[in-house]
Amino acid sequence: MEKSSLFPSGTFLFLLLVLLNVSASVAAPTPESVYTSFLECLTNYTKAQDQVSNIVFAQTNASFSSVLQAYIRNARFNTTSTPKPLLVVTPSEDPHVQGAVICAKSIGIQLKIRSGGHDYEGISYVSDQPFIILDMFHFRNITVDVENEVAVVQAGATLGEVYYRIWEKSKVHGFPAGVCPTVGVGGHLSGGGYGNMLRKHGLSVDHVVDAKIVDVKGRILDKESMGEDLFWAIRGGGGASFGVILSYTVKLIPVPEVVTVFRIAKSLDQNESATELVLQWQQVAPHTDHRLFMRLLLQPVSSKVVKGQRTIRATVMALFLGGADEVVTLMGKEFPALGLSKENCTELSWIDSVLWWGNFDNTTKPDALLDRDLNSASFLKRKSDYVQKPIPKKGLEGIWEKMIELGKTGFVFNPYGGKMSEVSSDATPFPHRAGNLFKIQYSVNWDDPGVELEKNFTSQAKMLYSYMTPFVSSDPRSAFLNYRDLDIGTNSFGKNSYEEGAVYGVKYFNDNFKRLVKIKTEVDPENFFRNEQSIPIHPGQ
């Protein structure tokens, strides 16, 4: 007896082929179809066809590559094999951002948000899924109100531009943020933001008093309309998990008319006790006068004493919010291993100290801070740790041996204490406050492309990170969100995994992770704003 069938065999085969084609088109939209659909949607939303066509760059546009590459700050993600966006959208007005969110969501495509491009892992402009970049570099307006001591700063402005615009209006105001002038405000502040005034004034987010954000529904919300929870989340929890930051309103801080900077280096091979310097640094840097920030750089370098050998150089870079005489006296009492004299010190204005920390020469004018230094990326890898107990002498000696063995990876130690110990760990999503002596950045840079070179240098960083396990925080082994590191965990695309998100989320946010998940679930229940290390939604959603 012949088996019955719902479809004749030819009809079934035809339908199967149709379904396969539909499935393939859904899984892999073509650049042309995405461009057409997105442009039509954005034009209908903004009612400005001519303007919209000038801010949407398809892969076939002659300017696509230059726009994409301009704000790539890590050359590892500027290769022919790096996945490219289907579109780059460069909004210049609020409705452009609102429309981009609504239209990307309507066609079911991922939206990556980039401000300055300094994301160490390229999360803001790379994805293995079909995606669009929303590049905020036109959002660079800064309004400084000296009388009320506030500034409204758009997300695409750079830190250098912020410092310059403040200096234009006042010589006795500043803002506590990073020392690299080309970093974008949106990512820096939404991840916490810190710089060389954190021991006196805390983090950048500790001075955010308002914000504007485009949410998943395309609405523009400020502090009042977004509510206490979302405002809390975007001050250290990473803005890209919750929406598109348009601007932050920040409180300015007072700076002295004269500040002091100094740089002192000692090597293991020159009868200079670099080890003693680091031992004393751990005892002094997190506990000294709150006005003093002493960054410690540790690097494996070629010996100047024994040809062909490697040694360790320890360099202290410092900013003191006061005069040279005072800091020399202070260090003579607290930090004799440093050997600081007045000849080592330079007194200058706060804005000139910004240039000094940015490695500009001493004849550079402040307007150099307006240079975005595009298309200048090197290859790099960064990782982070927190230290809660001083590393003993024997431990340091073992670390020196490991650094020399590996070859190139170095450390940046950033001292905490001061204001950082006075703010509650749950005041913002950034949890790493009291109890942390300093934060470690693992740092390796190289100049030439190549898979083997990249594997070699990134492996060095991973091996040094592994070696440091006994000396750093545990349960969790904490990390700093703005030193983005995919090695500590990622969330797979195509699903929302709370379990995967918790692996990196607890390291970045400690006990604040659960509150961030709750807020994420409430404001973006379909997980539209997502990336490899975004906040996941709550299980069951």
Side-chain angles (χ1 to χ4, degrees):
M1 184 175 177
E2 199 172 331
K3 292 183 180 179
S4 64
S5 174
L6 290 173
F7 305 108
S9 59
T11 305
F12 175 77
L13 181 60
F14 173 76
L15 288 173
L16 180 61
L17 289 171
V18 169
L19 287 171
L20 287 172
N21 285 333
V22 169
S23 174
S25 66
V26 170
T30 66
E32 295 79 9
S33 65
V34 170
Y35 177 72
T36 301
S37 301
F38 186 86
L39 196 66
E40 181 180 356
C41 175
L42 192 58
T43 300
N44 289 336
Y45 183 86
T46 61
K47 309 298 182 187
Q49 183 172 359
D50 292 342
Q51 192 179 45
V52 165
S53 62
N54 290 330
I55 65 166
V56 180
F57 296 84
Q59 291 182 354
T60 53
N61 190 303
S63 299
F64 175 84
S65 293
S66 61
V67 172
L68 171 62
Q69 294 172 10
Y71 289 90
I72 292 178
R73 305 290 189 176
N74 188 346
R76 287 171 57 204
F77 307 111
N78 192 17
T79 68
T80 55
S81 61
T82 303
K84 305 298 187 293
L86 300 179
L87 304 174
V88 179
V89 184
T90 60
S92 57
E93 300 174 5
D94 292 356
H96 297 161
V97 179
Q98 295 174 278
V101 170
I102 290 168
C103 295
K105 188 179 180 187
S106 72
I107 63 177
I109 197 157
Q110 185 191 16
L111 193 67
K112 291 270 186 167
I113 307 155
R114 182 166 74 174
S115 55
H118 279 270
D119 186 313
Y120 288 143
E121 297 282 15
I123 284 178
S124 62
Y125 53 88
V126 176
S127 177
D128 289 333
Q129 302 294 311
F131 71 109
I132 295 171
I133 292 177
L134 185 65
D135 200 317
M136 301 293 288
F137 67 85
H138 286 313
F139 272 67
R140 59 200 300 176
N141 188 61
I142 301 164
T143 305
V144 178
D145 180 352
V146 174
E147 185 177 349
N148 292 304
E149 297 186 309
V150 296
V152 179
V153 184
Q154 288 189 314
T158 65
L159 298 183
E161 290 166 347
V162 173
Y163 301 147
Y164 181 84
R165 298 304 175 198
I166 294 172
W167 170 79
E168 272 188 321
K169 296 291 182 70
S170 171
K171 304 302 181 277
V172 291
H173 286 89
F175 184 69
V179 301
C180 177
T182 58
V183 167
V185 165
H188 188 68
L189 267 66
S190 72
Y194 85 99
N196 53 24
M197 296 193 288
L198 92 163
R199 300 192 64 256
K200 175 64 176 177
H201 295 289
L203 301 175
S204 303
V205 289
D206 297 334
H207 302 267
V208 172
V209 295
D210 204 345
K212 284 189 177 180
I213 183 173
V214 174
D215 74 352
V216 73
K217 297 178 181 178
R219 301 175 298 182
I220 296 178
L221 307 175
D222 61 9
K223 177 182 178 182
E224 183 178 356
S225 56
M226 79 176 73
E228 179 183 341
D229 281 345
L230 182 53
F231 184 62
W232 178 84
I234 62 171
R235 290 178 296 134
S241 288
F242 303 96
V244 183
I245 306 296
L246 296 176
S247 67
Y248 282 109
T249 302
V250 299
K251 194 74 175 172
L252 306 182
I253 54 99
V255 294
E257 291 185 7
V258 175
V259 302
T260 303
V261 297
F262 61 81
R263 181 190 283 108
I264 291 181
K266 295 181 184 291
S267 298
L268 288 178
D269 64 343
Q270 293 181 306
N271 296 321
E272 297 173 325
S273 183
T275 302
E276 184 61 28
L277 178 88
V278 178
L279 285 169
Q280 275 193 24
W281 181 92
Q282 293 182 95
Q283 301 294 335
V284 176
H287 305 293
T288 190
D289 191 307
H290 295 187
R291 295 172 295 166
L292 179 59
F293 176 86
M294 291 189 290
R295 170 174 282 180
L296 178 63
L297 312 177
L298 298 167
Q299 300 160 293
V301 297
S302 297
S303 172
K304 294 180 180 179
V305 176
V306 183
K307 189 175 181 180
Q309 286 193 7
R310 303 280 282 171
T311 187
I312 298 297
R313 181 174 64 210
T315 306
V316 176
M317 288 181 65
L319 171 70
F320 179 64
L321 299 173
D325 288 335
E326 188 176 3
V327 73
V328 168
T329 301
L330 179 68
M331 292 296 91
K333 294 177 180 176
E334 295 186 357
F335 196 179
L338 183 63
L340 183 68
S341 68
K342 194 168 182 180
E343 288 69 33
N344 303 128
C345 298
T346 303
E347 292 184 330
L348 29 67
S349 65
W350 175 75
I351 196 67
D352 285 333
S353 78
V354 171
L355 292 164
W356 186 89
W357 277 85
N359 292 319
F360 293 94
D361 65 52
N362 58 14
T363 63
T364 304
K365 302 298 182 186
D367 60 6
L369 297 170
L370 302 177
D371 181 2
R372 293 192 163 207
D373 197 22
L374 304 180
N375 301 300
S376 59
S378 64
F379 297 85
L380 60 91
K381 174 65 181 177
R382 302 289 188 266
K383 299 176 75 66
S384 63
D385 259 322
Y386 283 88
V387 175
Q388 296 165 342
K389 296 179 181 178
I391 302 171
K393 182 176 182 180
K394 186 176 180 180
L396 291 176
E397 290 171 345
I399 293 168
W400 307 155
E401 291 179 10
K402 191 66 177 177
M403 291 173 71
I404 292 170
E405 173 195 330
L406 291 173
K408 194 168 184 181
T409 303
F411 289 120
V412 183
F413 288 3
N414 295 283
Y416 275 25
K419 186 70 173 180
M420 292 296 287
S421 296
E422 298 169 5
V423 178
S424 170
S425 62
D426 61 1
T428 69
F430 180 97
H432 317 294
R433 306 280 191 164
N436 292 289
L437 295 176
F438 56 96
K439 175 177 64 202
I440 295 177
Q441 181 187 76
Y442 301 77
S443 176
V444 60
N445 289 54
W446 62 100
D447 297 322
D448 298 316
V451 174
E452 289 304 314
L453 271 179
E454 178 173 334
K455 184 178 179 181
N456 174 41
F457 288 119
T458 56
S459 294
Q460 280 191 32
K462 292 175 185 178
M463 286 188 280
L464 188 55
Y465 179 83
S466 177
Y467 183 85
M468 292 295 292
T469 302
F471 308 112
V472 300
S473 62
S474 60
D475 299 321
R477 183 170 182 172
S478 295
F480 176 36
L481 181 66
N482 279 0
Y483 289 175
R484 189 76 76 171
D485 179 11
L486 294 182
D487 297 339
I488 68 171
T490 61
N491 211 326
S492 306
F493 283 109
K495 64 177 181 176
N496 173 74
S497 171
Y498 175 85
E499 290 74 19
E500 287 183 356
V503 171
Y504 56 82
V506 170
K507 294 171 185 174
Y508 284 138
F509 304 111
N510 296 9
D511 293 341
N512 294 331
F513 175 67
K514 290 182 179 179
R515 184 179 175 188
L516 287 168
V517 171
K518 181 175 183 292
I519 296 166
K520 168 71 173 180
T521 306
E522 290 172 353
V523 303
D524 184 17
E526 296 177 1
N527 196 31
F528 172 71
F529 291 111
R530 65 190 188 277
N531 59 52
E532 290 82 350
Q533 286 190 337
S534 56
I535 303 297
I537 59 174
H538 200 275
Q541 293 296 316

